[in-house]
Amino acid sequence: MELALTLDTSSKKSLQAQVFDQVRALILDGRLQADMALPPTRALAERFNVSRNTVMIAYERLAAEGYVEARGTAGIFVTSIPPDDLLLINGGFDGFRSSEPVAQQSSEPILCFAGSPGGETDRPALDFWPGRSAAGAFPLQTWRRIITNLLSTEPQNLTDYCDPAGLPELRKAIADHLGRSRGMHVAMDQIIITAGSQDALNLILNLLRQHTQRLCIENPCYIGASMLFQSQGLPIDPVPVDKDGIRTDCLPSVHRSLLYVTPSRQFPTGVMMSRGRRLALLRWAEETESYIVEDDYDSDLRYDGPPLTSLAGLDQGRRVFHVGTFSKSVGAGLRLGFAVVPRIHWDDARVLKAQMSNGQSWLEQRALAEFITEGHFDRHVRKVRRIYKSRRDCLRAALQKNFGDPVLSGSESGLHLIWQLPPGMPSARFIQAKARELGIGVYALSSGGAFDFGGAEPDDKLMFGYSSLTEKEIVQAVETLRDLLRARH
Ligand SMILES: Cc1ncc(COP(=O)(O)O)c(C=O)c1O
């Protein structure tokens, strides 16, 4: 088994402590489950280029604290009962009260952020991992028809390079779409097609590297962005988020910063950034000569209320880089997204994209362009909006029925909602771990694809990504959760 660790030799924390913290976090998260074997010490040491002794000491500490156990010559395995008191964060739940208050997420980033923890094979049977689109809703027939047609009419393009900024047809289709749906006036020569938002974030960070003195990021934050930002070797300011989005009063006054935000729907809290905060952000960027990356990952999926003006739309192409993706609206497997770049940076961004990957696959880009311009994209989004809205309503009703009057938030759009646990319930991480034993994946706010730099939130919120489960599965999962929590009372 491959362990996704990020070891930093320049960190003040010893390598043993880093291995210990990160493996423990994987166990507490449920990504490493009971009875799974850890890699042999020699293999792990070789894989991460550290001494075997380092790994052995970390494993010994994990064993001493009850997370893993040696089973003779068979190897070292995750124990079946993780130490309960370490799972409890809130205390406050009779019978499970803990004197040890914190089982904090490791301060180190954990890999494997976009899919379900642990990959396909060990997914819980009923998994509310946030952000997965419904497999059955993918427009397979149309996609197949477009691809087949392209292969028979334009096969010569498969053997040619295309523009590293992206296929002009697709850039044009996206520019038009942003005009219609987001009120943005974007020229196709401001767009770079990328492999999803992750590639776009990477491109922007590289583009602005020389300019940037400091990185700022939401806390809690989307783990894909937080991992990338933390890997840059620049000082980072995690900025708290409240019900109006990022706290602009907590932004540093350092010049030439680069800030990552999710204004349309903060990930993971689900809050929408208020207009006042948006304007304050733009003022801050002007005053400090800073740039902002707006990650607009799921704003096509809005159920209640009108679409929102993007931050980039307010900014008029000066300080905001806008990032979009087709991962949520169509499918993450396409690996297609885009960056809208202020005009003066576009040429450099195009050269950089050429250096990084020389553009994206012609076939997928061309198919997506056709999918959008023929009107299939709009139709598809209307269709999945209906499906996801109905699943959201089903989840809300099931929680209502089984838990009285749950306090839910972040459900106006997107693919997940948040349940604020009532007083007296176990901590979210505790419920996450126990539910997983029953084949249900629900996630604490600092866990399901999110990263908490510490101090951001009490551990009393559970995330439910409802988009990839059928309504029957949603009802069944919530009933199992109810039985679990009743049994604990
Ligand atoms: C905040 C946020 N941004 C972006 C993405 C999608 O990333 P990508 O386009 O790289 O698939 C996700 C996926 O979960 C997300 O939660």
Side-chain angles (χ1 to χ4, degrees):
M1 106 133 15
E2 181 82 17
L3 278 193
L5 308 181
T6 307
L7 302 184
D8 180 3
T9 46
S10 63
S11 164
K12 285 200 187 111
K13 190 187 274 187
S14 71
L15 289 169
Q16 300 146 16
Q18 292 182 45
V19 174
F20 170 81
D21 279 352
Q22 292 181 37
V23 175
R24 184 180 65 159
L26 292 172
I27 294 171
L28 288 176
D29 252 357
R31 297 173 198 218
L32 273 177
Q33 292 175 26
D35 299 318
M36 279 183 172
L38 296 190
T41 49
R42 188 188 304 279
L44 197 73
E46 274 169 17
R47 165 82 179 76
F48 290 99
N49 206 13
V50 295
S51 82
R52 193 169 165 211
N53 219 17
T54 297
V55 179
M56 278 164 64
I57 292 171
Y59 277 16
E60 272 164 24
R61 204 176 140 201
L62 286 163
E65 294 197 17
Y67 293 100
V68 300
E69 61 191 4
R71 295 187 189 157
T73 51
I76 300 199
F77 294 79
V78 178
T79 47
S80 27
I81 309 167
D84 267 358
D85 58 344
L86 284 169
L87 291 170
L88 275 173
I89 295 180
N90 281 352
F93 180 58
D94 287 342
F96 292 87
R97 201 177 296 274
S98 164
S99 55
E100 168 69 60
V102 178
Q104 279 290 8
Q105 183 176 5
S106 156
S107 60
E108 309 300 331
I110 299 163
L111 294 184
C112 190
F113 49 86
S116 187
E120 288 290 329
T121 49
D122 55 2
R123 242 174 213 165
L126 301 176
D127 192 8
F128 288 101
W129 183 261
R132 288 168 56 205
S133 17
F138 186 86
L140 205 53
Q141 257 184 330
T142 311
W143 198 258
R144 187 182 292 125
R145 180 183 56 71
I146 294 175
I147 295 271
T148 309
N149 189 38
L150 288 171
L151 289 177
S152 53
T153 55
E154 304 180 38
Q156 70 283 3
N157 287 319
L158 286 168
T159 46
D160 260 336
Y161 288 99
C162 46
D163 189 332
L167 216 60
E169 297 94 316
L170 180 56
R171 288 191 279 124
K172 169 91 174 59
I174 291 172
D176 292 347
H177 170 68
L178 291 174
R180 280 197 310 277
S181 66
R182 311 289 281 120
M184 289 169 66
H185 299 291
V186 171
M188 58 185 275
D189 286 351
Q190 280 181 265
I191 293 179
I192 307 278
I193 306 296
T194 58
S197 345
Q198 196 64 23
D199 185 37
L201 293 178
N202 205 0
L203 177 76
I204 295 164
L205 273 166
N206 274 287
L207 184 69
L208 299 178
R209 191 72 177 74
Q210 298 298 330
H211 170 92
T212 305
Q213 300 204 13
R214 196 169 196 91
L215 298 173
C216 307
I217 201 153
E218 297 170 323
N219 188 22
C221 183
Y222 169 50
I223 198 167
S226 68
M227 278 169 46
L228 189 59
F229 274 57
Q230 287 181 91
S231 70
Q232 300 299 305
L234 281 170
I236 293 205
D237 274 308
V239 183
V241 170
D242 67 14
K243 63 173 185 26
D244 288 324
I246 194 163
R247 292 260 313 269
T248 43
D249 59 321
C250 298
L251 285 167
S253 48
V254 179
H255 269 56
R256 295 173 32 199
S257 297
L258 176 61
L259 167 70
Y260 168 86
V261 275
T262 44
S264 296
R265 187 162 187 272
Q266 205 275 331
F267 191 92
T269 61
V271 300
M272 193 213 311
M273 192 184 293
S274 69
R275 191 175 160 77
R277 292 271 172 91
R278 287 171 194 244
L279 296 174
L281 264 192
L282 295 178
R283 265 198 312 277
W284 167 83
E286 276 300 331
E287 282 164 16
T288 59
E289 296 172 40
S290 296
Y291 286 103
I292 299 171
V293 185
E294 170 181 44
D295 181 354
D296 200 44
Y297 61 108
D298 69 359
S299 61
D300 286 314
L301 301 169
R302 194 163 175 78
Y303 314 119
D304 307 318
L308 310 164
T309 314
S310 67
L311 197 60
L314 284 175
D315 169 60
Q316 309 287 342
R318 293 172 54 79
R319 297 256 154 220
V320 179
F321 287 73
H322 179 94
V323 169
T325 181
F326 293 93
S327 285
K328 308 293 146 183
S329 52
V330 188
L334 293 178
R335 302 312 302 137
L336 280 173
F338 57 91
V340 180
V341 174
R343 264 176 205 274
I344 55 162
H345 295 291
W346 189 77
D347 286 332
D348 289 343
R350 181 168 177 269
V351 169
L352 191 56
K353 178 66 183 161
Q355 289 166 5
M356 286 169 67
S357 60
N358 221 355
Q360 302 306 128
S361 140
W362 168 79
L363 186 59
E364 269 79 20
Q365 290 189 76
R366 184 72 175 76
L368 184 58
E370 205 150 313
F371 189 69
I372 298 173
T373 49
E374 285 182 357
H376 301 296
F377 179 75
D378 285 346
R379 269 194 294 282
H380 173 71
V381 167
R382 280 199 297 277
K383 173 179 140 187
V384 288
R385 240 190 244 142
R386 269 197 309 278
I387 296 173
Y388 297 151
K389 183 175 193 292
S390 177
R391 290 181 180 183
R392 176 204 65 175
D393 292 345
C394 169
L395 174 62
R396 286 205 298 210
L399 289 170
Q400 191 92 28
K401 181 169 168 214
N402 292 287
F403 295 101
D405 210 3
V407 179
L408 305 178
S409 59
S411 62
E412 310 75 27
S413 62
L415 304 177
H416 75 275
L417 59 74
I418 285 142
W419 177 21
Q420 162 90 53
L421 297 167
M425 280 262 188
S427 70
R429 272 183 176 256
F430 180 84
I431 298 177
Q432 172 178 332
K434 290 292 163 193
R436 199 178 178 95
E437 288 170 14
L438 301 175
I440 311 287
V442 287
Y443 298 92
L445 203 60
S446 55
S447 156
F451 188 81
D452 181 348
F453 286 84
E457 293 277 344
D459 188 26
D460 60 359
K461 296 183 185 67
L462 263 190
M463 258 198 278
F464 290 77
Y466 45 79
S467 42
S468 65
L469 293 178
T470 64
E471 296 183 22
K472 197 169 157 210
E473 289 170 332
I474 290 173
V475 169
Q476 188 190 335
V478 172
E479 284 173 358
T480 309
L481 207 56
R482 176 205 60 202
D483 294 344
L484 166 73
L485 290 170
R486 266 196 199 148
R488 298 270 155 200
H489 266 295

